[in-house]
Amino acid sequence: MPGAAERGSELSEQIEAFAARLRRGGERPRSEDTARQTLSLLRKIVGNGRWSRAGELMDLIRTEGQRMTAAQPSETTVGNMVRRVLKVIREEYGRLHGRSEESDQQESLHKLLTSGGLSEDFRTPYPSLRANVIEAINEMLIELEGTTDNIAMQALEHIHSNEVIMTIGYSRTVEAFLKEAARKRKFQVIVAECAPFCQGHEMAVRLSKENIETTVMSDAAIFAVMSRVNKVIIGTKTILANGALIAVSGTHTLALAAKHHSTPLIVCAPMFKLSPQFPNEEDSFHKFVSPQEVLPFTEGEILAKINVHCPVFDYVPPELITLFISNIGGNAPSYIYRLMSELYHPDDYEL
Amino acid sequence: MSTDDLIETFRAQLRDDPDVSSAVAAIRALLGFLKQDRGETIQGLRNSLRDAIDTLSRVDSSVAVSSGGELFLRFISLTSLEYSDYSKCKEIMIERGEIFLAKVSLSRNKIAKLCHPFVRDGARILTHAYSRVVLRVLEAAVEAKKRFSVYVTESQPDGAGQKMAKALRKLNIPVTVILDAAVGYIMEKVDLVLVGAEGVVESGGIINKIGTNQIAVCAKAQNKPFYVVAESFKFVRLFPLNQQDVPDRFKYKADTLKTSQNLTEEHPWIDYTSPSLITLLFTDLGVLTPSAVSDELIKLYL
């Protein structure tokens, strides 16, 4: 059918364009936008793709997912959304297949002892599977819209009057969080500027527009000022499976300073940033950009003699973090494994 | 099946296949016992199985045999809840037992697949005594074309470290055997610590050859990751709060327990490492943080 083939190639083009945009990097994309675009693309694949059985659909999604994540490994939200959709497909298939709601999909000692055979093979075709999966993806998109608001709603429980809060760089989630608290409470914010991109400046401007008393300081002064800070509230790029963070460069310093002064470190991040990867191959998370910001090209003579690096992200180990505030509530870093098992299926950890 | 036959089956397995874990050998022996059991009731079966497990613990007092036995008993209870007819129940038990043993034999490979990406090129690994699971993991890392070197502690009183070093040399991995006392000295050179476990307790801590706790404490002090590799049948329902809480029957060898007059004069063979010192546990159920271990045990026993 020419219609189907046309749609197929148009879809392929859209995926290619998405992957190319990711690869190019360029301006800092909002994680929520990346997640939304990924989900829309996946919904198109489910709707228009050529598949008849759940197994085929999962293979299709997996292939496309691998293509998209390979384009920019540091954008973990893409992989997370692909895994969420795979889990949704498994659930919908299970529901149609008539299996009970128990979470017998996970490996466990209990399952090892009581199961009597091989696992699912996803071969039975169900005509309503397509519609069910698309509906589930739509629900996920709606959930995505509300994440920042859900996090901001919890602000009043954590921020009290006359507190000094420290943050680093520019996180839209933290901005919403602080703005919500500022409606009812009076507090001060110290923003570390987060060189070399100095996004902290933009954060400070936005916060001061809401009449929050804001101070900007350089990253070197973090330790010196930490003794006067009551809480540190930061955003992050990714949450890893062991409860660690991949956050903007400079966050590890902030976390260490906070630990030294026993200041609580609160991370505001929505659940779609939770990735089931562990920090083993550090290379896969690192993203380096042009060192123009660190040492401009005008310093031509020196450039020939030295190596200049400009990493974008930092690794923060789980011991330094006190609390994760996400759209589903507050959790300790040691509880992350449980949240992960609810969002993703173990077979999908490796795409 | 008589007691002697049971002990003989158990010993024969360990003799014929030195690679098999003692827990798996115990479970296999118990399955054989189950097949030959002439009883007519579940209660009778459970009682005779309890006696059989006691017999096996008297032969080999390690934690692994105890956890394997406990798991088998739990397996019987769970299966018997589903079927009321005894003979059908027994058939299902035997069938599931075989499937369980088949799955369990794959567990080491699963763990190796999960763990070897954590061994980076050029890494220096410290390990303790002789662990077959660690050996399998390092074998997988070699197959993945990683280059690394290993330090093994000698692990007195039985010098198990020498056995480990020999096995590693066969895989062409550069090995150095160090004194147990040299762990603090070598820790700054090491990138990660990788040990096996004889038992994994409810809190997420481990019971392993004596000396493991020391290594864990040194690793924590120098900020080195401490990884544990263990199969899931080693999860045991103990919750020790300190070294004293570990039962005596695990600390000493079976012969010592039988013959010794005063246990305080004997040297213990195992120690307990608390979960705060462990970074990650690699099991066939996945990569777990120590807090996830109790979740797994609860799912099984509740």
Side-chain angles (χ1 to χ4, degrees):
Chain A
M1 272 188 295
E6 220 177 74
R7 268 179 288 152
S9 65
E10 186 189 304
L11 184 58
S12 206
E13 262 174 43
Q14 283 175 339
I15 299 177
E16 218 15 81
F18 181 61
R21 219 175 20 237
L22 283 175
R23 209 174 297 133
R24 219 184 324 125
E27 73 295 338
R28 253 175 94 232
R30 241 199 113 160
S31 293
E32 197 183 307
D33 291 334
T34 320
R36 199 175 300 127
Q37 284 163 8
T38 317
L39 275 181
S40 313
L41 272 175
L42 291 172
R43 185 175 52 184
K44 284 207 186 94
I45 297 176
V46 175
N48 302 342
R50 251 172 291 180
W51 56 274
S52 52
R53 292 187 175 76
E56 287 169 30
L57 175 60
M58 280 166 53
D59 286 334
L60 187 59
I61 301 246
R62 215 171 271 137
T63 334
E64 297 302 334
Q66 276 164 3
R67 189 152 50 124
M68 291 195 276
T69 45
Q72 182 67 273
S74 67
E75 276 294 331
T76 45
T77 14
V78 177
N80 297 347
M81 290 296 107
V82 173
R83 292 181 183 96
R84 290 284 294 270
V85 171
L86 284 170
K87 169 115 188 186
V88 156
I89 298 172
R90 282 173 205 268
E91 270 175 18
E92 292 297 330
Y93 181 82
R95 209 168 289 155
L96 287 170
H97 207 56
R99 217 181 10 187
S100 55
E101 282 299 313
E102 53 170 298
S103 57
D104 60 343
Q105 307 202 46
Q106 305 287 8
E107 279 285 348
S108 73
L109 269 180
H110 184 106
K111 187 170 163 240
L112 262 181
L113 290 184
T114 55
S115 72
L118 301 164
S119 46
E120 291 281 347
D121 58 355
F122 299 104
R123 311 224 69 191
T124 331
Y126 289 105
S128 54
L129 186 64
R130 199 178 285 249
N132 287 4
V133 173
I134 293 186
E135 197 184 308
I137 296 183
N138 286 338
E139 271 172 32
M140 270 202 277
L141 278 167
I142 296 176
E143 190 192 311
L144 217 58
E145 307 279 325
T147 50
T148 318
D149 289 330
N150 283 338
I151 294 175
M153 268 180 350
Q154 302 171 51
L156 283 175
E157 293 164 11
H158 298 278
I159 300 182
H160 308 120
S161 286
N162 293 329
E163 274 196 330
V164 179
I165 314 265
M166 182 181 271
T167 185
I168 187 169
Y170 176 40
S171 160
R172 295 164 192 91
T173 318
V174 175
E175 183 197 340
F177 193 79
L178 294 174
K179 279 186 182 168
E180 180 66 29
R183 295 200 300 133
K184 294 244 172 74
R185 309 237 201 273
K186 205 124 188 59
F187 53 90
Q188 292 178 44
V189 178
I190 303 181
V191 184
E193 67 177 1
C194 189
F197 305 103
C198 295
Q199 295 137 350
H201 298 175
E202 199 185 330
M203 177 76 149
V205 166
R206 283 171 184 256
L207 288 177
S208 55
K209 282 211 182 95
E210 301 291 319
N211 291 327
I212 302 175
E213 209 180 308
T214 320
T215 316
V216 179
M217 32 149 260
S218 68
D219 300 338
I222 288 178
F223 191 86
V225 181
M226 188 56 77
S227 49
R228 303 195 208 182
V229 174
N230 296 116
K231 288 193 173 79
V232 180
I233 301 182
I234 56 174
T236 177
K237 179 76 181 168
T238 306
I239 304 174
L240 295 173
N242 60 345
L245 300 180
I246 302 285
V248 77
S249 187
T251 315
H252 196 177
T253 319
L254 183 62
L256 285 170
K259 186 76 176 188
H260 186 270
H261 289 92
S262 294
T263 312
L265 178 69
I266 300 175
V267 180
C268 293
M271 274 290 108
F272 63 78
K273 286 189 178 170
L274 176 58
S275 169
Q277 290 153 301
F278 279 90
N280 48 358
E281 278 132 11
E282 289 170 352
D283 313 3
S284 54
F285 295 123
H286 271 310
K287 186 175 162 196
F288 290 87
V289 292
S290 156
Q292 156 80 354
E293 309 286 339
V294 179
L295 195 62
F297 291 126
T298 47
E299 308 277 340
E301 271 182 40
I302 317 177
L303 280 179
K305 300 182 194 149
I306 56 175
N307 282 326
V308 188
H309 296 288
C310 190
V312 182
F313 298 121
D314 232 350
Y315 171 78
V316 183
E319 306 79 74
L320 303 174
I321 303 166
T322 317
L323 186 68
F324 281 105
I325 297 181
S326 69
N327 47 311
I328 55 179
N331 290 301
S334 55
Y335 198 62
I336 290 289
Y337 74 91
R338 185 58 171 262
L339 298 171
M340 228 171 47
S341 66
E342 283 168 24
L343 290 175
Y344 311 117
H345 191 276
D347 289 343
D348 300 329
Y349 289 173
E350 284 286 328
L351 263 185
Chain B
M1 199 191 218
S2 74
T3 334
D4 293 327
D5 280 340
L6 178 67
I7 298 180
E8 192 40 50
T9 327
F10 179 61
R11 284 225 176 98
Q13 301 225 31
L14 292 175
R15 250 199 324 262
D16 298 335
D17 187 5
D19 231 13
V20 78
S21 154
S22 41
V24 177
I27 295 178
R28 212 170 266 150
L30 288 171
L31 196 60
F33 181 86
L34 170 66
K35 282 184 191 151
Q36 297 192 0
D37 181 61
R38 293 270 162 271
E40 297 289 320
T41 64
I42 300 284
Q43 271 297 68
L45 178 62
R46 292 195 65 177
N47 288 341
S48 32
L49 273 175
R50 276 234 177 78
D51 293 334
I53 295 175
D54 275 334
T55 322
L56 287 176
S57 316
R58 262 177 271 130
V59 172
D60 180 352
S61 69
S62 67
V63 182
V65 169
S66 158
S67 75
E70 185 72 40
L71 207 62
F72 195 76
L73 217 50
R74 183 68 187 158
F75 161 63
I76 299 291
S77 317
L78 284 173
T79 324
S80 63
L81 285 173
E82 295 178 37
Y83 299 92
S84 45
D85 175 33
Y86 181 67
S87 48
K88 180 137 197 323
C89 187
K90 200 159 164 202
E91 260 175 54
I92 304 272
M93 273 189 218
I94 294 176
E95 191 191 316
R96 283 206 191 153
E98 299 290 348
I99 296 179
F100 176 65
L101 279 173
K103 271 197 211 167
V104 146
S105 60
L106 298 170
S107 52
R108 268 192 211 149
N109 286 334
K110 266 198 211 171
I111 297 175
K113 203 171 117 187
L114 281 174
C115 189
H116 80 82
F118 283 73
V119 176
R120 256 171 269 137
D121 238 347
R124 283 159 302 194
I125 304 174
L126 173 63
T127 186
H128 183 58
Y130 179 66
S131 164
R132 286 165 292 221
V133 193
V134 173
L135 204 52
R136 184 79 200 84
V137 168
L138 295 178
E139 213 179 295
V142 166
E143 280 161 26
K145 308 266 193 298
K146 303 253 173 83
R147 276 179 301 194
F148 52 91
S149 59
V150 180
Y151 294 98
V152 193
T153 53
E154 208 182 22
S155 178
Q156 295 294 4
D158 62 352
Q162 299 287 4
K163 199 166 152 204
M164 184 73 164
K166 207 162 113 190
L168 287 170
R169 273 190 205 111
K170 272 211 203 91
L171 296 169
N172 281 326
I173 302 174
V175 190
T176 318
V177 179
I178 60 170
L179 293 173
D180 296 336
V183 168
Y185 168 77
I186 209 87
M187 191 56 76
E188 60 187 30
K189 290 198 208 168
V190 156
D191 293 318
L192 63 109
V193 184
L194 185 63
V195 300
E198 293 196 26
V200 179
V201 297
E202 266 185 62
S203 57
I206 58 166
I207 294 186
N208 198 24
K209 184 87 184 289
I210 190 101
T212 313
N213 194 26
Q214 246 156 258
I215 300 182
V217 172
C218 282
K220 187 78 178 182
Q222 304 242 14
N223 257 325
K224 307 284 177 182
F226 186 84
Y227 297 130
V228 174
V229 282
E231 300 101 313
S232 59
F233 54 75
K234 290 182 177 162
F235 284 18
V236 67
R237 287 185 82 186
L238 276 179
F239 205 121
L241 297 173
N242 54 21
Q243 305 296 338
Q244 295 292 85
D245 280 347
V246 180
D248 275 345
R249 68 178 195 276
F250 296 137
K251 280 194 193 155
Y252 309 101
K253 293 268 170 194
D255 311 322
T256 326
L257 286 168
K258 271 184 261 192
T259 57
S260 151
Q261 309 289 67
N262 185 1
L263 276 179
T264 54
E265 284 174 19
E266 301 294 333
H267 294 291
W269 282 81
I270 55 160
D271 64 16
Y272 163 68
T273 306
S274 93
S276 54
L277 302 170
I278 301 173
T279 317
L280 285 175
L281 283 126
F282 297 90
T283 70
D284 48 332
L285 304 172
V287 186
L288 304 171
T289 47
S291 33
V293 171
S294 43
D295 226 30
E296 287 297 327
L297 276 166
I298 290 175
K299 273 193 246 170
L300 172 63
Y301 284 106
L302 238 55

